[in-house]
Amino acid sequence: FFFNDTATTEIYTRSIVGSVRCVQETDSRICKTIKETILAAQKIYPEMANGRSRSVYGVDMMITEDFIPKVLEFTYSPDCKRACISNPTFYNDLFECLFFWKLNNLSPLQQ
């Protein structure tokens, strides 16, 4: 599971927060929320954990006034238009990650 934090950090910094510390804390909470949601789904659908499978999910989230992320929707095979606008090499980075385990412009969802 990988998360393009560069584009997200720029968006938060410009539009919502203005504080780097708050952005980092919010990004950590987002990563944790996504990871916990996927792990919960794997308990119901253990076939999701197949190491030979690859998939891409889109996540719609909202951030509360206290900067707590709330999952609105997980989407299989999402529209990546916005990701491509903020990161022109998004698809190349994504496929290198999925099939060659290279983390160009991506960071592991470990938080």
Side-chain angles (χ1 to χ4, degrees):
F1 313 106
F2 297 90
F3 173 69
N4 181 340
D5 61 345
T6 305
T8 303
T9 301
E10 289 173 7
I11 291 167
Y12 284 141
T13 303
R14 277 187 269 126
S15 350
I16 299 173
V17 183
S19 164
V20 172
R21 182 170 165 253
C22 191
V23 169
Q24 291 170 341
E25 290 173 9
T26 303
D27 281 354
S28 292
R29 289 180 187 146
I30 290 170
C31 289
K32 182 179 179 198
T33 301
I34 293 170
K35 186 174 183 177
E36 288 173 350
T37 304
I38 291 171
L39 291 174
Q42 283 181 347
K43 288 181 181 180
I44 298 170
Y45 303 102
E47 63 274 12
M48 285 178 62
N50 181 343
R52 296 178 58 184
S53 296
R54 304 288 181 266
S55 55
V56 177
Y57 297 94
V59 183
D60 292 337
M61 300 185 89
M62 113 180 144
I63 309 293
T64 67
E65 292 177 356
D66 299 328
F67 301 102
I68 306 298
K70 303 290 183 182
V71 175
L72 300 175
E73 174 185 43
F74 258 79
T75 308
Y76 182 76
S77 190
D79 177 12
C80 297
K81 182 178 179 180
R82 278 186 268 172
C84 292
I85 291 170
S86 65
N87 178 6
T89 63
F90 175 77
Y91 276 115
N92 288 336
D93 297 339
L94 177 65
F95 284 104
E96 284 184 353
C97 172
L98 289 173
F99 300 105
F100 302 113
W101 299 98
K102 294 180 181 178
L103 298 179
N104 300 331
N105 299 318
L106 301 169
S107 44
L109 189 60
Q110 295 177 350
Q111 298 160 330

